[in-house]
Amino acid sequence: MILVFGANSFIARNFVDHCEKNGIEYLGVGSTGNDTDIRNYRNTSYTSEDIGSLFSEYEFKKIYIFKSLVRRDILDSNEYKEVNVGILTNLIEAFKEQVVKEKFEIHHFSSAGRYSEKVKMNDHYLNSKKDQEDMLKNFNKSYKNKLFIHKLPNVIGPYDLNFSRITPFYLGSRLMEKDPSFETPLNEGRKFITINTLMDTLQETTYEDTYKEFEYSGDFDIDLAEYIDLLDQSFNYCIGGNKKNIESIENTKIRNHLNFVDWYIKNKKYVINKFNTWFNN
């Protein structure tokens, strides 16, 4: 069985769908309640005792840590350290008791690989993510369990409701009929990887080493202005009811995005509710 931490978060929720489709047994855990209807879900306080109790009920072969418990849009720099690092400390304490009985794989997902060392020095969020990596590396050295760190570019797909990110902010704004204005310079280049590519890569990769870092190159590298135009065209195709003509669209970038953009339109009420909550806070 696979243990999935932060199961309601964007990438993890897609991973849960991947497990469902492929008949992979999993337990999703989180601290925010099961608001995305995950079949096998457990709410947790993330204490070492709480996590330890899960190991007494299940035999986990793989553990996936997807989410930082505090997002980038939280302004208190100390909270990044206290929560992101503090909760991982609790997880590792629970892991220590179990790994002496039986080894298991740990997969940790990070965006830190996208940023320069200069940015990391001045970004409390990224510093907390880097601290998480270092803690897991030390655990790997001490206990010789398998550890795989996945460093990701910008991931795009359904379930992403972090409206401080460009893709959900743009689509949420369009659904709300608001003008999606951006403070980020639109001439910046970004690397993007679709969630389907990420899920396929995770499934196809052989994990034989005791420790390895995976740096994902992404599906495409694009200026933000061009990417927003791509989102705009994809949204207009979907909102216009032209989904049935996907295969006839010559632009492969638009064609490959339609399924993911369509999720926001199909779940319009849910997305707008989340957008309003974020926008008014």
Side-chain angles (χ1 to χ4, degrees):
M1 178 174 275
I2 292 175
L3 180 58
V4 182
F5 284 109
N8 272 315
S9 60
F10 158 44
I11 298 176
R13 187 61 185 83
N14 283 278
F15 181 73
V16 165
D17 279 356
H18 170 80
C19 290
E20 291 278 4
K21 291 174 184 176
N22 291 277
I24 301 170
E25 283 298 313
Y26 69 90
L27 175 66
V29 298
S31 59
T32 57
N34 188 13
D35 66 348
T36 56
D37 298 323
I38 297 171
R39 177 179 59 84
N40 195 12
Y41 182 85
R42 184 77 59 85
N43 203 58
T44 179
S45 61
Y46 284 110
T47 63
S48 56
E49 293 80 12
D50 213 3
I51 300 305
S53 68
L54 298 178
F55 283 95
S56 66
E57 294 182 54
Y58 301 94
E59 184 177 330
F60 298 111
K61 298 295 184 183
K62 298 178 182 180
I63 296 172
Y64 284 75
I65 304 172
F66 282 98
K67 186 185 180 185
S68 293
L69 277 296
V70 177
R71 303 187 310 276
R72 176 183 294 281
D73 53 353
I74 302 297
L75 297 180
D76 186 351
S77 61
N78 291 325
E79 196 168 358
Y80 291 125
K81 192 93 171 180
E82 291 171 4
V83 179
N84 287 348
V85 176
I87 287 179
L88 185 60
T89 299
N90 293 342
L91 300 189
I92 289 177
E93 287 303 311
F95 295 165
K96 286 178 181 178
E97 292 189 19
Q98 301 304 318
V99 77
V100 294
K101 302 174 186 176
E102 187 172 0
K103 296 289 192 294
F104 45 79
E105 285 182 16
I106 297 177
H107 294 259
H108 181 256
F109 292 78
S110 173
S111 57
R114 301 204 314 258
Y115 303 91
S116 68
E117 290 298 325
K118 183 178 179 180
V119 172
K120 289 177 187 175
M121 289 172 60
N122 300 307
D123 191 313
H124 298 291
Y125 171 81
L126 289 179
N127 278 329
S128 71
K129 294 291 287 182
K130 183 66 169 59
D131 287 344
Q132 287 181 324
E133 286 185 20
D134 291 341
M135 292 165 66
L136 287 168
K137 288 176 184 178
N138 289 334
F139 177 71
N140 166 259
K141 290 178 181 177
S142 298
Y143 291 88
K144 309 302 180 186
N145 68 297
K146 288 188 174 184
L147 171 64
F148 304 104
I149 293 178
H150 304 266
K151 296 188 175 183
L152 306 176
N154 295 279
V155 184
I156 48 178
Y159 298 110
D160 188 359
L161 298 172
N162 180 357
F163 297 102
S164 62
R165 288 160 50 89
I166 285 176
T167 303
F169 177 76
Y170 175 85
L171 295 172
S173 297
R174 285 295 307 269
L175 290 173
M176 289 285 291
E177 299 182 357
K178 294 179 178 288
D179 178 29
S181 57
F182 299 95
E183 296 180 1
T184 304
L186 297 184
N187 60 348
E188 287 186 1
R190 296 281 178 90
K191 290 182 179 180
F192 292 90
I193 184 172
T194 63
I195 198 70
N196 289 337
T197 297
L198 177 57
M199 294 300 112
D200 289 344
T201 304
L202 290 175
Q203 181 174 349
E204 294 166 3
T205 302
T206 301
Y207 302 101
E208 295 180 344
D209 304 276
T210 302
Y211 171 80
K212 190 170 183 178
E213 293 186 13
F214 296 91
E215 190 94 29
Y216 291 76
S217 59
D219 288 319
F220 56 93
D221 198 339
I222 190 172
D223 284 348
L224 289 181
E226 185 182 351
Y227 176 65
I228 291 169
D229 183 60
L230 174 62
L231 279 178
D232 187 62
Q233 293 180 63
S234 300
F235 184 89
N236 290 337
Y237 271 114
C238 291
I239 206 75
N242 294 326
K243 186 89 183 300
K244 62 183 179 181
N245 298 320
I246 288 177
E247 295 305 320
S248 66
I249 299 172
E250 293 183 3
N251 188 320
T252 56
K253 287 181 181 177
I254 294 177
R255 188 169 67 241
N256 292 337
H257 280 68
L258 281 175
N259 286 331
F260 119 70
V261 172
D262 193 51
W263 179 86
Y264 287 84
I265 295 169
K266 286 181 176 178
N267 295 276
K268 180 178 179 179
K269 289 183 179 179
Y270 177 67
V271 173
I272 286 177
N273 179 57
K274 292 290 186 180
F275 187 87
N276 276 327
T277 301
W278 174 83
F279 192 79
N280 292 321
N281 284 339

